[in-house]
Amino acid sequence: MPKDTFYNLAEEKRMKIYGAALDEFSNHPFKQASVNRIVKNAGIAKGSFYQYFKDKKDLYKYLIDEIYKKKITYLTPTMKNPFDMNFFDLLRDIYASGLKFAKDNPQLAKIGYHMLRDSGQEVFNEVIDEKKGEGIQIYKQILELGIKRGDIRSDINLDMSAYFLFQLGNSLSNDFIEFFDTGEEKQVFNLVEGMIEMLKSGIGKK
Amino acid sequence: MPKDTFYNLAEEKRMKIYGAALDEFSNHPFKQASVNRIVKNAGIAKGSFYQYFKDKKDLYKYLIDEIYKKKITYLTPTMKNPFDMNFFDLLRDIYASGLKFAKDNPQLAKIGYHMLRDSGQEVFNEVIDEKKGEGIQIYKQILELGIKRGDIRSDINLDMSAYFLFQLGNSLSNDFIEFFDTGEEKQVFNLVEGMIEMLKSGIGKK
DNA sequence: CTACCTTGTGACCGCCAAGTCATTTTATAG
DNA sequence: CTATAAAATGACTTGGCGGTCACAAGGTAG
């Protein structure tokens, strides 16, 4: 929801602002993110910022949207036909895609990280809580699907399990980023495998 | 590390300040926590606050310390002899004690939650990062112990597994608090059981 | 009653934040 | 070249923050 003036900007200038915004919001939660720093790093005047965006939240929503769009591109085609897949294979693919996204776009991933943490807080939730709710909802749906398919037990607590899978996925993407730097990438992906194995034996049909 | 003037305060007044501080720090991360709000809610003058504490960080460290002390009281005697216990039994007890702590002291738990999230950020880590490091270290130790005892496979990545167990424990205590309100307490504790079962099959010796 | 010391106080300082706006600069069109 | 519209600017307003300090109030001892 930036204004037209923003989209009309020359590519280079627009990207510089975008980059500065990523820098800021990936290193600070919303409330602590500073428009002053963004404009300084983007090399534009404070007033210009408000020609492009209604306010700080406006820019933030825009970024969240971009993240969302980008993240979706990481879902493989097979994932879009969840009916044909075994629950655990599907889950593994989802987690792996999240990890890959975080690896390729560490800044975007960090913004997502802060986003989820800001979620509980404040009045400002509108956008965020919605996105979070959607995320949990998706896991709930694939759990239901898994039950119908007979992949997993039917006596599990749906809400709690969905919440758990959601947290686990985010933990993988956000918290295990540190291990990418240390060249333990393969092990992180192995972790996903191990995790799926665990889940299988834990809530899989015996 | 509050000043003597704080400890000399009448019980009632001291507790009112303590309560106001808990309120503030359980609802805001450190940077966003406001001394102004604390003094207003505690019914004391701004200047008085600085008679009791050197600065905001001083109060915060004090709270962290209190949390730490309180949390330790939740560890059962058996847990203090980890050598005699099976790794998974030990882990279950640790998680369960953390959950019980969070249930009995939701405000303290929330402060801990914010603490861990603040950890990555800023210069201010000194105290926090130390506590976090200690936590991970403990899991690493019990993992090593578990390997020696033959409870778990020896080919796991120690650092990553320790990190994972740490995150999982915190996730249980902090994120699943919401399910306590909805009367799903038993299910949360069942979740711990299930989780342990999962881990057992996942990294347990076959 | 006085002198002294501890504790309590809130106006005040400097800083940084988000957002505004009168003015200037630049681009466009006739 | 001129007139008009669009975009860029940074000084400014308002407000909250952490922290200070000169002073007032209260307690205690001689």
Side-chain angles (χ1 to χ4, degrees), chain B residues 52-65:
Chain B
Y52 309 144
F53 306 97
K54 183 175 160 282
D55 51 26
K56 187 165 82 158
K57 190 149 59 172
D58 188 32
L59 165 60
Y60 188 63
K61 283 187 194 168
Y62 169 67
L63 292 183
I64 300 293
D65 241 57

Side-chain angles (χ1 to χ4, degrees), chain B residues 5 7 22 42 50 67 95 109 132 161 177 190:
Chain B
T5 46
Y7 292 111
L22 285 192
Y50 289 92
I67 294 175
Y95 283 173
K132 183 173 173 180
S161 300
I177 282 191
N190 283 344

